[in-house]
Amino acid sequence: MERKRLLFITNAELGQANVHLAVLEQLISDKVDVDLHLCSFSPLAQSATSSEAFSSGKVSFHTLRGPTWKDALFNRPEHQWHEVCSLTPRWFNSSRAAPMMTRIVAPWSNEELADLVLQVNKVVNHVAAHLVVVDNLFTPAVTVCYDRGVNWVVLSPNTYREFILGHQPPHEQHIQPPTASLIPYPVPFYLRLSTWYHRQQYMKLAQDGWVITHAIHMQEKIHKQYSDWGRLTYDPPKGLKIILPSNSHVDFPFTVVPDHLVSCGPIVRSAKPVAEVDPDLAAWLRQRPTVYINLGTHVLHDDDQSMELAEAFKSLLQAAKEAGDGLQVLWVNRRKQNNKEAKWLDTNGAQGGIRVVDWLQVEPISILQEETVICSVNHGGANSYFEAVSAGVPQVVLPVWFDTYDFARRVEYLGIGRIGNRGTAPKCSRGELGRVLKQVVLGQEAGQMRARAAAIAEACEPIQQLNVTQVVRQV
């Protein structure tokens, strides 16, 4: 009898790929009798092979040539990624922010995108998988699956609103806040006009020249119809399942949740305990309650912003000391390289209760699962949000771009944290952040937030068993 084959196709960036790696690791752990294949760029091969589950060689890796999503988007001046992300999340900036969405789904040149489509098509032919599992943000794979009509599912780190907002009744669309804004959910009446303006800017994307030139080039040169994340939202193929880490416990409420969405709850990678990987760090974490700050791999702070963060942490530690509470901070700080002396380092140090590192040997989820970690300070990335939710840890979110603002709003709506830079986003200030940290860690509501976060994590536990079974059932 022929063995079943599963092919996972994803971007190389862990923000998208982690859910794919998590499901693959679980399939390996469960000893599912299928041949497993993973297709992506070479940087993901390095991340995957560092996992014990992958070191056994039970996953065949198919390498794509060309620039990764991040290389194409972040490092090309024509996209103005850094300039757009530096804009404040106000209504008058939405006309500049909205066009970035088409660059996000397809940051490559016309020629590069067409070549990637051909490469993915070749891998699909070679593997002849019984099921193809696709990253919704990897447009070449979405294009191929639409074109070929293969048996496929979408595995995404994202949430309901990225796929079903247009399916909601008109009255509900008015109360859903726009992306790249800090307008709360539900949208207050006095902010409806601002929301309408945001929505008008995003509606223009249907005629965006960036996508149109991609579509024309692809049709003329390789005779394929361009398809991306947007098409998944308004024209999903019959029978397609979209597997999400979202569910009613961790997302905004929606009147209509289509049947083709599979709500799994947080999809997180398994990881060894801190004590097994870094005994010294484990001993330090267990000294006293710990605030863990990690703003992801893409967020780099200059010395000025690092100083603002450091001063906010100092004020938190000082307040804890005055209240007689023991407290410490673990800070993963990815600082921009420059020639300035990092004077902000003089304001903290391990002896002052702040441990600063630029890299960790352990996975973030391992840190969050330590009993002494009582708060996650993150940038609102999907993985950061769902990992903290899974671990039952309250969050202070410092959003920096697009959907990170959505996750920041979620923590406040769900009562599991606060937005730490509402007045200064995408930057932060010592005064505002220090005040919010005290509310979440030491304030009168801190206990309620911890209880609420723990309750949501407990509610998600049985749902998370769907992560793998929903995929396997499609084979």
Side-chain angles (χ1 to χ4, degrees), residues 332-348:
V332 181
N333 183 39
R334 301 179 184 277
R335 190 169 61 91
K336 289 182 179 179
Q337 297 299 315
N338 55 41
N339 295 323
K340 294 182 180 179
E341 180 184 359
K343 295 181 179 180
W344 59 270
L345 284 171
D346 298 334
T347 68
N348 49 60

Side-chain angles (χ1 to χ4, degrees), residues 317-443:
L317 293 175
Q318 182 61 35
K321 182 178 180 180
E322 293 172 357
D325 296 329
L327 195 66
Q328 61 188 15
V329 174
L330 175 61
W331 181 7
V332 181
N333 183 39
R334 301 179 184 277
R335 190 169 61 91
K336 289 182 179 179
Q337 297 299 315
N338 55 41
N339 295 323
K340 294 182 180 179
E341 180 184 359
K343 295 181 179 180
W344 59 270
L345 284 171
D346 298 334
T347 68
N348 49 60
Q351 72 279 5
I354 303 179
R355 181 165 177 156
V356 184
V357 297
D358 59 7
W359 179 77
L360 289 169
Q361 298 179 54
V362 298
E363 295 293 332
I365 187 63
S366 298
I367 300 287
L368 292 167
Q369 289 172 343
E370 287 288 320
E371 291 184 358
T372 55
V373 174
I374 59 173
C375 179
S376 166
V377 183
N378 62 72
H379 68 302
N383 280 298
S384 298
Y385 171 78
F386 284 117
E387 285 174 346
V389 165
S390 176
V393 175
Q395 304 178 51
V396 172
V397 182
L398 302 173
V400 288
W401 55 61
F402 296 98
D403 65 334
T404 60
Y405 292 102
D406 295 334
F407 287 107
R409 287 192 299 257
R410 282 186 183 90
V411 301
E412 294 211 336
Y413 172 75
L414 295 170
I416 56 174
R418 289 284 185 270
I419 298 170
N421 60 344
R422 182 183 296 277
T424 53
K427 295 184 177 181
C428 62
S429 68
R430 65 188 71 184
E432 181 180 29
L433 178 56
R435 184 169 59 253
V436 171
L437 284 169
K438 293 168 192 174
Q439 292 173 357
V440 175
V441 178
L442 303 172

Side-chain angles (χ1 to χ4, degrees), residues 180-255:
S181 80
L182 283 174
I183 296 174
Y185 175 88
V187 175
F189 183 79
Y190 68 92
L191 289 176
R192 296 284 174 87
L193 183 59
S194 175
T195 300
W196 174 86
Y197 182 81
H198 275 273
R199 189 173 294 116
Q200 293 303 305
Q201 304 312 307
Y202 283 94
M203 288 178 65
K204 295 177 183 178
L205 296 180
Q207 301 300 321
D208 185 83
W210 183 261
V211 168
I212 291 173
T213 57
H214 272 313
I216 293 173
H217 181 87
M218 194 176 293
Q219 185 67 48
E220 291 179 347
K221 299 299 181 181
I222 61 173
H223 309 295
K224 303 288 186 184
Q225 182 181 2
Y226 173 91
S227 299
D228 62 20
W229 187 347
R231 188 176 180 186
L232 288 169
T233 66
Y234 70 81
D235 182 29
K238 185 178 180 180
L240 178 75
K241 296 294 184 182
I242 298 178
I243 301 171
L244 301 174
S246 199
N247 62 39
S248 59
H249 299 289
V250 299
D251 208 343
F252 300 124
F254 289 92
T255 301

